[in-house]
Amino acid sequence: AWAYSNAPFVLALPFERTEAILEGMVAAFEFFGAVPKEVWWDNPRTVATLIFQGRDRQLQPRYAALASHYVFDPRFCMPARGNEKPDAEGTVKAVQRRFATPVPRVANLDELNTFLRNRCEAERERVVQSLFGPFTIKDRLAADLAAATLLPAYRFDPCVIRPAMAVDKYQTVAFDGNRYSVPRAFAFRMVTVKGYVDRVVIVAEGQTVATHERCLDKQTMVLDPIHYLATLGHKPGALDHAPVFRDWKLPVCFGAFRAALEGLHGRLGGARRIVRVLQLLG
């Protein structure tokens, strides 16, 4: 919420980790088309990792990078000073009352965020009574935006970064309690893992080598069958027995094509030929 107009931005996210903070901040700046000169927080550890005397804080490195990229001053409330954040607390309650009463019914998070975005845009037309007479939030938001700075030319990358992660012999790399696969060429090599709210991206030598949907469970292997196609040339039987392939949801036409190949070349010969076709997907 902006300090003068109290114009809100609301975004629903699956968790409260640092990457969610970054995603929400970038989305908010792009929603308003501007960057405030100061951004205040109530000392969450995802933003301020250490609290020193007064208002000094040790910033989470990626939040510090965000502040540097958008050139705003990261500010923080004093601990246990409720008087320093009445607008923030009040806005949360007001948004719950006006946006989520009754509770909206949606199919997924994207639909919920579309609903919330539309409500935030409609909120600008609301008339507010004050000691100086009525005004619309839109009128005061114009003053807020006039005092703000323009968006930079390039978007900040809203992710946490884990550099120099080792890939194991199973072609997987660890991130947030799970393991994600990479192509065979990157086994036993060092990679950088970038964790976003919705995906995990693995980078090697400056290039993206794997992208996975982020898994919110723990101790889970997230494997892309395409990453393991090279080994199928030596072990075609794995196509039916290895879980990574057995659970692969291929289009129906692949099954029909394999059946035709096996009819012509036998079970083993057909399997070897369908493997060669699948390797083209790599």
Side-chain angles (χ1 to χ4, degrees), residues 32 54 61 70 111 128 150 156-157 170 179 196 219 248 282:
F32 291 110
Y70 288 105
E111 189 175 317
V128 179
L150 297 176
F156 182 78
D157 199 15
Y170 301 109
R179 300 198 70 88
Y196 297 83
Q219 306 301 318
W248 196 6

Side-chain angles (χ1 to χ4, degrees), residues 50-72:
L50 283 177
I51 299 176
F52 301 117
Q53 187 173 4
R55 298 190 188 276
D56 289 338
R57 304 289 186 271
Q58 177 177 291
L59 298 181
Q60 204 282 343
R62 288 298 290 166
Y63 186 77
L66 177 83
S68 177
H69 184 90
Y70 288 105
V71 198
F72 66 80

Side-chain angles (χ1 to χ4, degrees), residues 108-210:
N108 51 48
L109 206 59
D110 289 339
E111 189 175 317
L112 175 60
N113 281 325
T114 298
F115 168 82
L116 293 172
R117 185 184 185 91
N118 292 339
R119 293 304 304 265
C120 287
E121 291 173 344
E123 184 78 352
R124 299 182 185 186
E125 304 298 328
R126 188 167 62 86
V127 177
V128 179
Q129 299 294 331
S130 74
L131 295 176
F132 305 101
F135 65 89
T136 64
I137 289 178
K138 175 174 62 178
D139 296 333
R140 287 198 172 182
L141 178 60
D144 274 328
L145 297 179
T149 58
L150 297 176
L151 290 172
Y154 298 99
R155 189 177 196 264
F156 182 78
D157 199 15
C159 64
V160 293
I161 298 175
R162 302 287 184 265
M165 302 291 288
V167 179
D168 64 15
K169 66 179 180 179
Y170 301 109
Q171 301 172 223
T172 65
V173 63
F175 178 76
D176 193 29
N178 298 311
R179 300 198 70 88
Y180 295 85
S181 68
V182 301
R184 181 64 186 171
F186 298 94
F188 304 106
R189 293 170 63 177
M190 304 302 289
V191 297
T192 296
V193 182
K194 300 167 70 175
Y196 297 83
V197 168
D198 59 344
R199 66 193 187 279
V200 173
V201 176
I202 302 165
V203 177
E205 300 175 356
Q207 300 293 322
T208 297
V209 299

